[in-house]
Amino acid sequence: MSPETGSPKVLSPVVAYIALGANLGQAQFTVRRAIQDLGRDPHTRVLRCSSLYCTAPVDATGPDFINAVVQVSTTLSAAELLAWLQSIEEGAGRERPYRNAPRTLDLDILLWGEQSIHTPSLTVPHPRMWERAFVLVPLAEIAPDRVPDVALHAVQDQEICRVSASGPVGLVGIGNMGFAMMQRLLQQGWPVRVFDVDAGRMQAAGALGAQLGTDAADVAAHCRHVLVAVVDAAQTEAVLAGPQGIYACARKGDVIFLCPTLSPLDVERAAAQCVARGLHLIDAPMSGGPARAQQGQMSLMLAAPEQVLEAEAALLQDLALQRFVISQKPGDAARTKLINNLLAAINLAGACEVIALAQQWGLDATRTLDVVEASSGQSWIGSDRLRRALQNDFEPRAHTTLLAKDSRLALETCAGLGLPAPALGALAAQQFSSACESGLSQLDDASLFLQAGGKASAAG
């Protein structure tokens, strides 16, 4: 690509600001998708995204616009970046039948470092940016030093309404479930900034268009909404309160979603820490497995103040088909999840035991499972895991350690309340503990079939 005169090739990164707008079709989705597309160029990195704003058309016609502003770092020249923006517009179906026509997507370079650019196709700073609230308000949100108070005062009579603080969404922990949740959000057009200690996971996330954070604090610095999808209480404490944790950079009003299965007491402790810092915590344990999470068909159990959940409705709707509001008290969703997972552990332990028993009786295990699935012994987790086990597939979707942990937490919760341990729950917890001690901890929890004496083969 040949740079135009006045827009030389850039050798070191330049920080630029880009305005986005759309008022045709699914405008919110289109704007979110465009933010994601900006980061797909290998020479361009999205640094910050404003909230989405709704405004009436200015010098244009059609429905209200959805607007946003993003900050990028790029080694493209201004002319090359403009060409990239135009290709994104075209990909969204942008047409230009006449000046100021309604549009599926409009992308404009507002600022290019501290430089001024004047070419036949590009003027920077954008010549009309100081006249428009739909530019200045979102720009001031992410770069207040670039918008003088007098400029905001000049457009204060223009109506503008924040739709949602929609991007990027932070995600700390991209293991099996976290990675699937990231894929779902990217597919729905949400910009996502991620962090995980696994470099391979980070590389894979970047290849799909996710922004890569340097640590949990970096994610919090760039995102007003952060999903925590790590494994256990120790990891949760580290990503929240550690030296490079979320608390280090979170701002008042930010929202943290706790998605692991945790002790209710740990969730309540984290909620109290958030309240003390002016943050909102949503107790949001997840269920359904990576395949369902990627399809947006997993379940979320939710406990948080009603107004906090209402403000996050769009994000929650895109994440999970089934959303169960348990109460307004964080900790109650964790309790509900432990009830569910203790039953899952009981069901899986029982299913593995009886199909192994069928083999020992000389029956075809696959055919026996067919019968169970059509009869009163059916359980979703039993079918899901045993179909894989009988094919000798123990690639971990959910490690055996997870239900071992969750069943143990359920029993500890009973003990903390002075309640006797449920008999079947205690037996299931022992089965999972024994499986881990037998060397099956890093396999899929379908490996409980092996613990029960089952033999994996396609024929059963």
Side-chain angles (χ1 to χ4, degrees), residues 125-266:
H126 192 284
R128 293 175 295 281
M129 62 178 286
W130 304 109
E131 305 168 6
R132 296 174 172 175
F134 66 76
V135 170
L136 296 182
V137 172
L139 177 60
E141 178 187 334
I142 61 172
D145 58 311
R146 303 306 299 263
V147 184
D149 290 342
V150 65
L152 287 173
H153 182 76
V155 298
Q156 65 180 352
D157 292 334
Q158 297 179 25
E159 292 188 12
I160 182 168
C161 174
R162 190 167 81 164
V163 177
S164 66
S166 61
V169 175
L171 182 52
V172 179
I174 49 173
N176 290 337
M177 284 296 288
F179 198 89
M181 293 162 68
M182 178 203 73
Q183 290 175 295
R184 171 63 180 176
L185 290 173
L186 290 173
Q187 290 163 3
Q188 294 302 108
W190 294 84
V192 183
R193 191 175 189 88
V194 301
F195 174 71
D196 196 282
V197 295
D198 187 325
R201 287 276 174 172
M202 291 287 282
Q203 183 177 6
L208 293 178
Q211 303 170 30
L212 304 183
T214 56
D215 50 39
D218 172 83
V219 171
H222 289 83
C223 307
R224 306 306 303 269
H225 317 253
V226 180
L227 299 157
V228 175
V230 294
V231 173
D232 55 25
Q235 292 183 8
T236 300
E237 176 69 15
V239 302
L240 289 177
Q244 287 80 45
I246 291 169
Y247 293 158
C249 290
R251 292 152 287 178
K252 186 175 181 179
D254 286 0
V255 181
I256 299 171
F257 300 74
L258 283 190
C259 298
T261 304
L262 300 170
S263 159
L265 295 180
D266 288 328

Side-chain angles (χ1 to χ4, degrees), residues 18 20 33-41 44-46 70 72 81 84-85 88 107:
I18 299 168
L20 305 91
R33 175 69 73 179
I35 294 170
Q36 178 184 334
D37 288 342
L38 282 170
R40 292 188 184 279
D41 179 82
T44 303
R45 185 162 61 96
V46 176
V70 300
V72 302
L81 181 61
W84 176 235
L85 299 185
I88 295 173
L107 304 175

